[in-house]
Amino acid sequence: MKTLTLRRPDDWHLHLRDGAVLQGVIGDTSRHFARAIIMPNLVPPVVTTADARAYRGRILQALPEGDRFEPLMTLYLTEHTDPNDVEEGRKSGLITAVKLYPAGATTNSHGGVRDIDKALPVLERMAKIGLPLCVHGEVTTPEVDIFDREAVFIETVLDPLRRRLPELKITMEHVTTADGIDYIKSSRGNLAGSITTHHLIINRNAILVGGIRPHYYCLPVAKRENHRLALRSAATSGDPRFFLGTDSAPHVDPLKECACGCAGIYTSVNTMSCLAHVFEQENALDKLEAFTSLNGPAWYGLKPNEEMITLEKRDQPVNFPGKRDTEAGPITVFDPMFPLHWEVL
């Protein structure tokens, strides 16, 4: 196969940051993607509908001229989130989901939830009005090994919450383990999972073998090879409960290449080429459209995009920039460690 045409994709988990970084990276998403769920973990975070409206305005203002892109806004859940504000945001059409960050789980999550019981009033309201909860599925208790945090979160937080509020629609974002895949597959409804580009390609060796390589460090951290293979199987299966959420997370290089580097991998530049490569390897190019363009809209109650995109397979590798230069500094683009031959026309 030399060309592949599919509905224009969406990204169901995206970090755009703010200010100069936002200005520098937004075009890499809007070039290929029609919509994206925007993460709210700014400094300060997006905690109210008014915050989300203002942030959406900044995103639209930063768009390259002529690009068509719809940011789907989320709110950062805290133990003091106002259920009425959340409901008003939902009714206005501005708020697509609310994001649960366990406090300390990832970048700018220190203001997240420490006691899930204190967030129950807003979660109960969300269940009532049909507003999805997106979760960063890891515990942060220090005695739990970082590679076990997802499995422990499912057992101690997610499963009890779903038993308590079975009507609450939950997206388990950036699933990284076979445990997470199996849990979603075993569910009887109201649970789906997004999968990132990079977790389909790297395992933990990419971070650690041959020296510390900070540009492969993300949270949730990449796991063992058997988990990567479970993710690939789920993503390429066509199962409607799994869809693309890149978790593309730009950080300028000085914040990555330091004694305590930030977590995040910037994949927006070459995600579609990487995915075409992965799906071709799995003999599943016919399932790529479902993963990138159909399953996510169906889960979030939206119509798939009418516009189409075409990828073409080149004989020679496609050249992508190694860095994305911004006024805040350079951002390293994800290197999949193999040549990419698929290119979006």
Side-chain angles (χ1 to χ4, degrees):
M1 183 180 291
K2 289 291 186 180
T3 62
L4 179 65
T5 298
L6 60 153
R7 290 178 185 265
R8 193 176 176 200
D10 300 304
D11 187 346
W12 300 98
H13 183 129
L14 177 68
H15 297 271
L16 287 175
R17 311 304 186 202
D18 212 345
V21 172
L22 167 62
Q23 296 281 341
V25 305
I26 180 63
D28 290 330
T29 290
S30 63
R31 188 174 301 114
H32 297 156
F33 294 87
R35 299 170 290 203
I37 282 191
I38 310 300
M39 291 296 102
N41 57 331
L42 304 181
V43 180
V46 179
V47 295
T48 68
T49 296
D51 294 338
R53 185 173 291 109
Y55 185 29
R56 182 177 186 273
R58 297 194 298 275
I59 294 169
L60 293 176
Q61 190 174 24
L63 278 177
E65 186 175 355
D67 279 11
R68 297 184 302 278
F69 174 74
E70 182 181 1
L72 304 173
M73 307 310 294
T74 63
L75 296 179
Y76 183 111
L77 183 65
T78 75
E79 295 171 5
H80 308 289
T81 296
D82 180 0
N84 292 328
D85 180 66
V86 170
E87 184 168 0
E88 289 170 9
R90 173 66 161 180
K91 287 180 177 178
S92 73
L94 177 67
I95 302 303
T96 299
V98 172
K99 179 62 181 278
L100 166 62
Y101 288 105
T106 189
T107 303
N108 301 335
S109 64
H110 52 276
V113 174
R114 298 181 184 277
D115 182 352
I116 194 71
D117 287 345
K118 293 182 179 178
L120 275 178
V122 68
L123 296 176
E124 290 168 348
R125 183 74 63 88
M126 289 167 59
K128 181 179 179 181
I129 65 177
L131 182 62
L133 176 70
C134 296
V135 301
H136 180 112
E138 294 187 290
V139 297
T140 57
T141 44
E143 63 270 18
V144 177
D145 188 281
I146 191 170
F147 293 104
D148 298 329
R149 287 179 170 185
E150 185 169 292
V152 174
F153 179 88
I154 292 169
E155 178 183 355
T156 62
V157 180
L158 182 56
D159 194 61
L161 176 61
R162 293 184 64 239
R163 292 178 185 277
R164 196 166 184 173
L165 286 175
E167 64 276 25
L168 180 63
K169 195 171 188 177
I170 298 176
T171 306
M172 191 174 175
E173 296 195 303
H174 45 48
V175 182
T176 61
T177 63
D179 308 81
I181 296 297
D182 290 343
Y183 183 70
I184 292 168
K185 285 181 176 179
S186 69
S187 69
R188 295 187 177 182
N190 279 347
L191 183 66
S194 68
I195 300 175
T196 78
T197 308
H198 53 277
H199 284 117
L200 295 173
I201 294 172
I202 65 169
N203 59 30
R204 63 189 189 179
N205 284 0
I207 312 167
L208 300 170
V209 172
I212 299 293
R213 291 189 278 181
H215 295 290
Y216 294 112
Y217 171 59
C218 57
L219 287 173
V221 69
K223 308 297 195 299
R224 289 180 179 271
E225 177 66 359
N226 64 296
H227 296 295
R228 185 184 75 92
L229 295 177
L231 298 176
R232 284 171 74 111
S233 176
T236 60
S237 68
D239 188 324
R241 292 170 291 187
F242 300 104
F243 42 82
L244 175 65
T246 66
D247 194 18
S248 182
H251 293 286
V252 295
D253 286 353
L255 296 180
K256 293 286 292 180
E257 301 166 356
C258 59
C260 188
C262 292
I265 299 176
Y266 185 55
T267 58
S268 293
V269 175
N270 55 10
T271 271
M272 292 307 298
S273 296
C274 288
L275 291 176
H277 181 100
V278 168
F279 276 66
E280 184 177 38
Q281 281 188 322
E282 300 294 324
N283 296 312
L285 279 173
D286 60 323
K287 302 293 197 306
L288 181 60
E289 184 178 53
F291 182 68
T292 63
S293 312
L294 301 178
N295 296 348
W299 173 250
Y300 283 100
L302 301 170
K303 293 181 179 180
N305 300 306
E306 295 293 335
E307 187 179 353
M308 311 295 285
I309 67 167
T310 297
L311 293 95
E312 183 171 272
K313 189 174 184 183
R314 308 292 194 188
D315 292 332
Q316 297 300 316
V318 180
N319 290 320
F320 289 98
K323 307 279 185 182
R324 174 61 71 221
D325 291 323
T326 77
E327 291 187 6
I331 296 166
T332 293
V333 174
F334 175 61
D335 176 4
M337 297 176 286
F338 49 72
L340 294 169
H341 291 266
W342 287 93
E343 182 178 22
V344 179
L345 298 181

